[in-house]
Amino acid sequence: MPTEALQLDSKVKFSKFRAPGTCGEFVQGHIQGRDFLVNCPIDLYSYAEVGTADNDGLHIERESDYFKIRDTLTLAAYELFLPLRHDIQVNSPIPRGKGMASSSADIGAALSAYLHACGQQVSPHIFARLLTEVEPSDCVHFAGIAHLNHLTGDLLESLPPPSGMRALIVDCGGEIDTLCFDRQRARAVYRNHEDCITEALSLLKQGLRANDPAVIAVAATMSATLSQQIHRKPQFEDLLACTTEKGALGVNCAHSGSVLGILYREDSRLTHELLDTVRREFGDSLSIVGDYRIIGGGCDAL
């Protein structure tokens, strides 16, 4: 059913927004019949520019790479009674197919810029529903750390982001399309370990509310360890052992992707030590994506 948008003061001819990617998720699972994840936004962004076009339709550079943006904006135009006469450019350094919410960030930035260009705004709930109509989403547009149903876009709780916490992200290899993730197999594992998932979620919320990186990392490591039964990353156990020995707090993962995040308190000395350890111990079997600050979510105008 078409729904209403709120009219802003005026339309604009050009709009630019950014949305963050993620270091996978802190915790993901299925409890009491409900799918959920708790996202882990980082300071790595997708950027989208939207301007008024000379011709009708959406004109997206490299449209074959960004067809999900086309589908989302077309849906938004239909539901919100908006015009489709726009040029769209997307620029994103977020690796694709790795579980770092590249599509969520691309779509979030583009949809924010499109709505602003049309002089409209919608609630975060409607925004999330538009995203998840196209594919499961980490919904990085939500402020803070979002506990959400990534299949429906329902926000279950907004939690404070940690301060002074970073993730050194490594890629174990391969690519996974979110739409191809074996969700039924994952749910079967989650059903057999619901107590573990419940404990991890409870610990995570405790750690986020208290801004306690050690507790946050324990919860994330629990969830990542369970995820090994769904999408195994061969380097996980050795990476966890050698990096915690050097001072890391734990390891989280992209539950439907190929990356792992080495979680640690912000410390430039430790950053270099962890980088050296990963390079020395794993060589070419792991590629280093980068080192990022964990932040709160949100789409920002530029």
Side-chain angles (χ1 to χ4, degrees), residues 148-209:
L148 65 124
N149 184 322
H150 50 295
L151 304 183
T152 65
D154 291 330
L155 179 66
L156 306 176
E157 187 172 359
S158 181
L159 297 154
S163 60
M165 191 171 185
R166 299 187 70 87
L168 173 60
I169 303 178
V170 298
D171 181 16
C172 300
E175 293 186 11
I176 298 177
D177 189 316
T178 303
L179 295 174
C180 298
F181 180 64
D182 190 346
R183 206 162 305 283
Q184 294 309 314
R185 181 167 178 266
R187 284 171 177 163
V189 172
Y190 294 148
R191 278 195 300 271
N192 291 331
H193 297 85
E194 191 163 311
D195 288 347
C196 174
I197 298 167
T198 302
E199 182 182 0
L201 180 60
S202 177
L203 274 175
L204 177 65
K205 291 186 175 185
Q206 174 187 326
L208 289 170
R209 290 172 182 141

Side-chain angles (χ1 to χ4, degrees), residues 179-251:
L179 295 174
C180 298
F181 180 64
D182 190 346
R183 206 162 305 283
Q184 294 309 314
R185 181 167 178 266
R187 284 171 177 163
V189 172
Y190 294 148
R191 278 195 300 271
N192 291 331
H193 297 85
E194 191 163 311
D195 288 347
C196 174
I197 298 167
T198 302
E199 182 182 0
L201 180 60
S202 177
L203 274 175
L204 177 65
K205 291 186 175 185
Q206 174 187 326
L208 289 170
R209 290 172 182 141
N211 193 29
D212 188 333
V215 174
I216 294 168
V218 168
T221 303
M222 289 174 63
S223 187
T225 301
L226 181 58
S227 181
Q228 286 288 91
Q229 298 185 34
I230 302 165
H231 176 56
R232 180 167 176 76
K233 299 171 179 66
Q235 305 91 333
F236 174 77
E237 289 82 5
D238 290 341
L239 184 73
L240 176 62
C242 73
T243 56
T244 52
E245 182 181 340
K246 294 296 182 180
L249 300 172
V251 172

Side-chain angles (χ1 to χ4, degrees), residues 29-170:
H30 187 86
I31 297 177
Q32 296 180 347
R34 183 165 60 185
D35 293 283
F36 78 92
L37 62 76
V38 183
N39 63 18
C40 181
I42 56 173
D43 59 343
L44 179 66
Y45 298 90
S46 176
Y47 300 85
E49 300 179 13
V50 174
T52 303
D54 294 330
N55 303 311
D56 289 339
L58 293 174
H59 309 281
I60 306 175
E61 287 193 358
R62 307 201 321 272
E63 185 169 355
S64 61
D65 292 335
Y66 298 116
F67 66 92
K68 294 172 184 176
I69 291 176
R70 178 202 63 212
D71 294 347
T72 305
L73 269 57
T74 300
L75 176 66
Y78 168 74
E79 294 214 353
L80 305 175
F81 308 102
L82 300 177
L84 285 175
R85 191 184 177 93
H86 295 85
D87 293 320
I88 302 170
Q89 293 183 345
V90 179
N91 178 27
S92 175
I94 303 171
R96 307 179 75 80
K98 302 297 183 181
M100 296 179 64
S102 59
S103 291
S104 294
D106 291 345
I107 299 170
L111 180 57
S112 295
Y114 169 67
L115 292 173
H116 188 256
C118 291
Q120 303 288 336
Q121 64 181 8
V122 298
S123 71
H125 170 73
I126 292 175
F127 196 104
R129 185 178 56 74
L130 291 169
L131 297 184
T132 53
E133 282 286 320
V134 173
E135 70 166 3
S137 174
D138 282 60
C139 291
V140 292
H141 68 286
F142 284 125
I145 302 298
H147 172 205
L148 65 124
N149 184 322
H150 50 295
L151 304 183
T152 65
D154 291 330
L155 179 66
L156 306 176
E157 187 172 359
S158 181
L159 297 154
S163 60
M165 191 171 185
R166 299 187 70 87
L168 173 60
I169 303 178
V170 298

